[in-house]
Amino acid sequence: MIGYAFIAPAVLGVLGLGLVPFGFVLWYSLHDWNPLVGDFTWVGGENFLRLLTDETVWASLVTTIQFAAMLMVFNVALAMALALLLNQRLPGTTTFRTFFFSPVIVSTVAWVLVWSYLVAANGGINGVLAMIGLEGPNWLRESSWALVTVVVIQVFKGVGMNMILFLAALQNVPAELKEAARIDGARPTRVFRSITLPLMTPTILLVVMVTTFGAMDVFVPIQILTQGGPGRSTTVISYLLYRTAFEQQDFGYASTIGVLIFVVALTLAALQWSTRKRWVHDEV
């Protein structure tokens, strides 16, 4: 009984915050539901057939995959570089670590609002570029820059957490293994590639999975900075779900989009988990 008591909070959390709400989403996806007019009609699989031929949904899904891929690559690469730098125990590392971790604890809305002034056409970044004779683009109103700008803002918001995870993994690598490699004549790059990096792969897998899932439900930066524009260049799938539900009042079809997001996230998780045995250390 004591064992059941210990796992009860987790089980209740999964049921109450995960499985039961998802069951309601599935049920709503089979209905035409507009709460403003009180319409709640069974339509069976019509919403799913509509989903298959809805070009807006698939375009938003492609934008979401582009957003997630750029976020994962930039975030993991920058977090790894910062962790390697901090692991050198240089003067000022505590200040440097605080500087990059502080955005993690800042409100996302406040963070995005500050950046909205910095990346405005007449904002701080373009002002600095003008001082050195360069003309910056309109970062949020040009379709070729808008998505990349949102990605960069998200990278600086979350890179501090991944930096700390990588730093902890680096400091857990046994020093005797690296010392033995150096005695055998291995250069620092070979030590990192053959010893440090393989022993960090469990942490890298964790960071990649968490960053990918975080990218699937991005909403605040899109809502505040671009509202999905210009055109549809930043309309990710989670923002399309919001507009379908709360602007068009089509909650049934929005639930169907929610089911699609769940299927995509589950597929990505299965792919990442199934390939871990090929590159994650100690996986059998």
Side-chain angles (χ1 to χ4, degrees), residues 23-283:
F24 278 108
V25 170
L26 276 177
W27 176 247
Y28 295 146
S29 70
L30 301 174
H31 292 77
D32 183 10
W33 180 24
N34 186 332
L36 286 183
V37 297
D39 180 27
F40 190 73
T41 307
W42 170 268
V43 294
E46 285 187 14
N47 284 333
F48 289 93
L49 293 175
R50 176 183 168 189
L51 187 75
L52 293 175
T53 58
D54 191 340
E55 295 180 357
T56 304
V57 170
W58 298 109
S60 298
L61 189 58
V62 170
T63 303
T64 305
I65 293 173
Q66 292 173 336
F67 178 86
M70 286 192 289
L71 184 69
M72 185 181 66
V73 171
F74 292 160
N75 201 322
V76 171
L78 182 59
M80 180 66 77
L82 292 172
L84 289 171
L85 186 61
L86 290 175
N87 200 42
Q88 302 304 313
R89 302 181 188 280
L90 299 172
T93 53
T94 302
T95 303
F96 193 69
R97 188 184 307 174
T98 304
F99 176 77
F100 275 94
F101 187 76
S102 57
V104 176
I105 59 176
V106 172
S107 162
T108 302
V109 173
W111 176 257
V112 173
L113 283 175
V114 170
W115 274 94
S116 69
Y117 291 106
L118 291 175
V119 299
N122 57 351
I125 292 179
N126 281 350
V128 172
L129 292 176
M131 291 173 63
I132 57 176
L134 297 176
E135 183 180 357
N138 193 338
W139 302 97
L140 298 175
R141 295 295 176 262
E142 295 182 16
S143 56
S144 58
W145 283 104
L147 188 64
V148 176
T149 303
V150 177
V151 168
V152 170
I153 293 171
Q154 280 294 94
V155 166
F156 284 113
K157 177 72 174 71
V159 72
M161 178 60 73
N162 292 340
M163 175 192 71
I164 294 297
L165 292 174
F166 282 148
L167 184 61
L170 276 171
Q171 293 176 348
N172 281 332
V173 176
E176 58 269 23
L177 292 180
K178 293 189 287 187
E179 184 63 26
R182 293 191 191 98
I183 292 175
D184 287 341
R187 295 185 176 184
T189 54
R190 180 61 185 274
V191 173
F192 177 76
R193 190 174 68 250
S194 301
I195 295 177
T196 305
L197 194 59
L199 292 177
M200 291 180 64
T201 48
T203 304
I204 295 174
L205 174 65
L206 170 67
V207 168
V208 168
M209 294 187 74
V210 170
T211 304
T212 303
F213 298 145
M216 294 297 295
D217 65 353
V218 63
F219 174 76
V220 173
I222 303 295
Q223 170 69 6
I224 295 177
L225 296 174
T226 66
Q227 293 83 47
R232 294 176 181 170
S233 60
T234 60
T235 304
V236 295
I237 193 72
S238 55
Y239 188 71
L240 179 68
L241 184 153
Y242 161 78
R243 296 186 66 171
T244 304
F246 295 99
E247 293 183 5
Q248 303 172 14
Q249 299 295 318
D250 193 349
F251 282 79
Y253 189 53
S255 299
T256 310
I257 296 175
V259 174
L260 174 65
I261 295 175
F262 172 78
V263 171
V264 172
L266 188 64
T267 303
L268 290 175
L271 285 174
Q272 292 170 339
W273 189 251
S274 63
T275 59
R276 75 190 191 284
K277 293 180 180 177
R278 300 178 183 175
W279 61 279
V280 177
H281 183 68
D282 276 346
E283 286 289 341

